[in-house]
Amino acid sequence: MKSIAIIGGGITGVTTAYALAKRGFVVSLFEKHRYAAMETSFANGGQLSASNAEVWTHPSTLLKGVKWMLKPDAPLLVNPKPSWHKLSWFAEFVANIPRYESNTTKTARLAIAAREQLFNWASAEGISFDLVKRGILHIYRDRKGFDHAGRVSALLAAGGLERRAVTPQEIHALEPTLAGQYYGGYYTESDSTGDIHKFTIGMAAAIERLGVSTWYGTSVKHVMSDGNEATIVFEQNGEEVKARFDAVVIAAGIASRALAAQLGDRVNIYPVKGYSITVNLTDEASQAAAPTISLLDDETKIVTSRLGVDRFRIAGTAEFNGDNRDIRADRIRPLTDWVARCFPGVSTRQVVPWAGLRPMMPDMMPRVGRGKKPNVFYNTGHGHLGWTLSAATADQVAQIIGSAAAQLSSGIASVSPRATA
């Protein structure tokens, strides 16, 4: 097992390619867009946040979903139109509620492991991505939210994460530009922020230096495996091409579900839309009035990151509406209103809206590892923590593939993909 195909050129696909190439595999990466990181890895909230490792499989999530179903600007919005996919996903979501605590702790542990790996890769490859290591501050407007955060902190601590409660006075000391009154907060000094798009395109350049073949602008039509050989059928420049490899890794975001079905696997990913705005800080007054620390407002489910001197990223909301990429004004407005309320000195004259589809598994845990066929592997379904977890899951799947390759006779492994028109 020497030649590996990776389907997906977002953060998980590119980091997986890097981890495999560093281990000596011959890697080919397929991406439908002309460039890497053009979908969910384009403009997320920017947080590398082990402190946001709490999974959503809590009873309160269901109650909020029902409560907010008919409120178009709600932080969590579920389209009531039924589909078998949506119903099956929510049924599994409910079934995973008993694992809420253990999965939160596992996710925190994974996020901590990913952190240093990602920093090491960025340093080794000279990637500049507006990294700020100033921690993340979670803010709460009432005692109920603050008390719940205290219970979450215990779960995160079990995973090895340190965060501390802070008073309203400490909140304003940490971020003097923040307006409003708050009951309290939690501060995680070890968390950080940056630009996921800049990081991913930096890693995309790194994998090309390592010899990875990057097939951008290619639409994968079919993927097959007989257990010994994987075949990718893709379209490029109007021509259908087949390429054969020793193994394949599915890292295709929300498309992973359909690709997995072709391979005989069930990967029940649902697309959960998130929105962001990037506020261009075009004047000195806005630059001074924007926060320098990253925030998570628990009540509104909004996160922020300062990206360099002249950009302020605000992201949030979760929308269960199928494969729908529309940018809705009534979902963007709460983000701009939040800026006006919490940072009134920031001008929102120049705002760039964006929406992306998070690939979420019902248990909120990424699918990492083998499929039914011995040469099929997955690294997908990271939900709202794709960037935070990416380096760890890339390393995990590379280790799994490395172990599988070591068990095979060297005479079985091929050295390159075999393509035929």
Side-chain angles (χ1 to χ4, degrees), residues 92-383:
E92 291 184 47
F93 181 94
V94 172
N96 277 283
I97 287 176
R99 287 179 279 279
Y100 158 80
E101 292 187 355
S102 62
N103 283 346
T104 294
T105 297
K106 288 177 184 176
T107 304
R109 191 175 295 120
L110 189 62
I112 293 168
R115 179 190 293 150
E116 291 307 315
Q117 183 74 285
L118 186 145
F119 292 156
N120 289 339
W121 288 351
S123 177
E125 302 299 337
I127 300 171
S128 177
F129 59 103
D130 294 324
L131 175 64
V132 176
K133 295 182 178 181
R134 293 200 61 198
I136 293 177
L137 174 63
H138 290 221
I139 55 176
Y140 302 90
R141 290 180 169 80
D142 56 40
R143 180 172 180 173
K144 182 179 179 181
F146 181 79
D147 288 348
H148 177 78
R151 294 188 289 272
V152 172
S153 286
L155 302 177
L156 300 178
L161 183 71
E162 293 184 10
R163 72 173 188 170
R164 61 183 175 88
V166 292
T167 65
Q169 293 75 24
E170 289 173 306
I171 287 175
H172 290 292
L174 285 164
E175 185 45 72
T177 64
L178 176 64
Q181 300 299 315
Y182 302 92
Y183 182 87
Y186 275 87
Y187 177 57
T188 310
E189 189 173 1
S190 58
D191 277 343
S192 55
T193 59
D195 188 324
I196 186 174
H197 187 68
K198 285 186 176 182
F199 177 81
T200 308
I201 61 175
M203 289 295 288
I207 64 175
E208 292 193 5
R209 290 194 296 270
L210 290 171
V212 172
S213 298
T214 51
W215 297 70
Y216 294 117
T218 59
S219 178
V220 173
K221 301 299 183 182
H222 302 286
V223 57
M224 299 160 280
S225 170
D226 62 7
N228 295 312
E229 186 176 72
T231 302
I232 309 294
V233 181
F234 61 95
E235 185 178 299
Q236 187 176 52
N237 299 324
E239 184 178 1
E240 189 172 278
V241 181
K242 288 184 180 180
R244 296 178 176 87
F245 304 84
D246 295 319
V248 61
V249 181
I250 306 299
I254 67 165
S256 299
R257 176 173 175 261
L259 293 170
Q262 294 181 19
L263 293 162
D265 292 313
R266 185 172 184 272
V267 180
N268 196 16
I269 283 173
Y270 192 88
V272 180
K273 191 194 298 185
Y275 291 84
S276 78
I277 58 172
T278 303
V279 180
N280 292 318
L281 306 172
T282 57
D283 57 86
E284 291 184 1
S286 291
Q287 292 171 9
T292 57
I293 197 170
S294 179
L295 302 169
L296 190 152
D297 185 339
D298 191 71
E299 180 182 324
T300 58
K301 306 303 180 188
I302 285 174
V303 305
T304 75
S305 297
R306 183 72 176 265
L307 302 176
V309 175
D310 59 358
R311 291 186 301 152
F312 180 31
R313 177 72 49 78
I314 304 94
T317 78
E319 183 179 315
F320 289 78
N321 195 22
D323 187 355
N324 180 299
R325 292 170 169 81
D326 293 345
I327 299 177
R328 294 172 44 175
D330 58 358
R331 307 293 284 159
I332 293 294
R333 190 178 303 110
L335 301 179
T336 54
D337 289 348
W338 186 91
V339 175
R341 183 170 70 254
C342 296
F343 298 97
V346 171
S347 170
T348 53
R349 282 195 180 95
Q350 290 194 19
V351 170
V352 181
W354 174 85
L357 299 177
R358 309 178 185 101
M360 285 196 171
M361 294 290 291
D363 61 356
M364 309 300 293
M365 304 296 288
R367 173 70 182 270
V368 182
R370 293 176 177 270
K372 290 180 181 177
K373 302 290 179 60
N375 64 341
V376 173
F377 304 88
Y378 294 92
N379 185 18
T380 190
H382 295 64

Side-chain angles (χ1 to χ4, degrees), residues 62-81 318 320 328 330-331:
L62 296 175
L63 296 174
K64 290 174 182 176
V66 173
K67 175 183 175 183
W68 290 334
M69 192 171 290
L70 299 178
K71 188 179 179 184
D73 60 350
L76 171 63
L77 182 64
V78 180
N79 185 334
K81 184 178 180 180
F320 289 78
R328 294 172 44 175
D330 58 358
R331 307 293 284 159

Side-chain angles (χ1 to χ4, degrees), residues 393-417:
T393 61
D395 201 52
Q396 282 184 354
V397 77
Q399 287 180 17
I400 292 168
I401 293 171
S403 296
Q407 295 171 7
L408 297 174
S409 166
S410 60
I412 296 176
S414 61
V415 296
S416 64

